[in-house]
């Protein structure tokens, strides 16, 4: 892989790519997720139950030169056609390629994808642990504004509690390329 490659995005084809999807998730440690180690059998069971398909969720590969280097799960997609609800997402990038701008490219892609697909959608939200400084930078560089902090709300694998932070982007900010300041203290 060259340093200048740009990631591409495509839907995970279930059920044909279920095994590859399970292998991908189970092959890494995801330090800033509730379960940093994911059991392959658990992923396969969730896939059999239809967790990754249907109207409320989309799952996309992030590929670099044809190799899967990440996934994006778009969540809470029901009711978006009517302008109700706000989508969330789960982003996972392989450790070997972190720090190359792939996370930022993925967040910008999903923002454009969701705003184009759902014309009545007004905002997209994302939450991460407060100590996930890389993801916080991705949000800020992608025009997402910090909107909240949830104290001791995110457990890690040992049971220790961490603060979580919520970011969101408004359609108008995405369209204008600026961030509307949050009105704190009103």
């Amino acid at each position: 892989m060259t340093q200048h490659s740009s990631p591409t995005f495509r839907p995970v084809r279930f059920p044909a790519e279920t095994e590859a999807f399970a292998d991908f998730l189970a092959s890494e440690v995801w330090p800033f997720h509730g379960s940093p180690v994911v059991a392959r059998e658990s992923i396969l069971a969730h896939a059999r139950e239809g967790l990754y398909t249907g109207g409320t969720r989309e799952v996309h590969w992030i590929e670099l030169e044809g190799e899967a280097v990440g996934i994006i799960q778009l969540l809470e997609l029901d009711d978006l056609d009517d302008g109700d609800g706000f989508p969330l997402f789960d982003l996972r990038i392989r450790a070997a390629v972190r720090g190359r701008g792939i996370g930022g490219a993925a967040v910008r892609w999903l923002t454009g994808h969701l705003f184009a697909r759902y014309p009545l959608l007004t905002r997209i939200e994302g939450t991460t642990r407060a100590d996930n400084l890389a993801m916080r930078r991705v949000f800020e560089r992608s025009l997402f504004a910090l909107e909240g902090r949830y104290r001791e709300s995110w457990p890690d694998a040992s049971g220790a509690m961490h603060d979580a932070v919520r970011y969101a982007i408004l359609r108008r900010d995405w369209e204008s390329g600026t961030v509307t300041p949050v009105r704190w203290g009103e």
Side-chain angles (χ1 to χ4, degrees):
M1 283 183 270
T2 65
Q3 188 75 0
H4 303 295
S5 297
S6 295
T8 57
F9 308 90
R10 70 170 178 84
V12 176
R13 294 181 292 266
F14 292 103
E17 294 181 310
T18 301
E19 297 278 334
F21 178 71
D23 290 343
F24 178 87
L25 283 175
S27 70
E28 293 275 329
V29 175
W30 309 103
F32 293 105
H33 288 77
S35 298
V37 176
V38 185
R40 186 176 189 280
E41 281 308 312
S42 175
I43 298 160
L44 294 172
H46 288 314
R48 283 190 298 274
E49 295 164 5
L51 180 68
Y52 304 111
T53 57
T56 64
R57 182 180 298 228
E58 290 179 18
V59 184
H60 296 267
W61 290 114
I62 303 167
E63 296 179 329
L64 208 52
E65 296 180 1
E67 179 186 339
V69 297
I71 60 153
I72 301 173
Q73 294 186 68
L74 305 174
L75 314 165
E76 308 294 333
L77 300 179
D78 47 336
D79 298 326
L80 296 183
D81 286 323
D82 300 328
D84 294 332
F86 308 108
L88 300 171
F89 62 92
D90 176 45
L91 175 62
R92 298 176 191 237
I93 308 292
R94 280 199 190 281
V97 297
R98 291 181 195 147
R100 295 188 190 180
I102 296 167
V107 169
R108 289 186 296 279
W109 174 83
L110 76 88
T111 302
H113 172 74
L114 288 169
F115 281 141
R117 182 168 176 190
Y118 300 102
L120 300 178
L121 180 63
T122 60
R123 60 184 281 123
I124 300 166
E125 300 177 358
T127 304
T128 192
R129 270 189 14 203
D131 59 335
N132 187 348
L133 300 179
M135 190 63 206
R136 294 183 72 176
R137 282 191 299 277
V138 165
F139 279 131
E140 291 160 5
R141 291 177 181 159
S142 302
L143 303 177
F144 280 64
L146 177 64
E147 293 188 342
R149 185 176 193 107
Y150 307 101
R151 297 176 300 157
E152 298 182 11
S153 61
W154 193 311
D156 66 18
S158 73
M161 297 302 287
H162 299 268
D163 289 2
V165 287
R166 167 78 44 111
Y167 287 82
I169 186 169
L170 303 176
R171 176 183 289 275
R172 70 174 179 259
D173 290 357
W174 174 70
E175 290 172 341
S176 70
T178 61
V179 178
T180 304
V182 175
R183 295 181 298 219
W184 298 101
E186 290 186 11

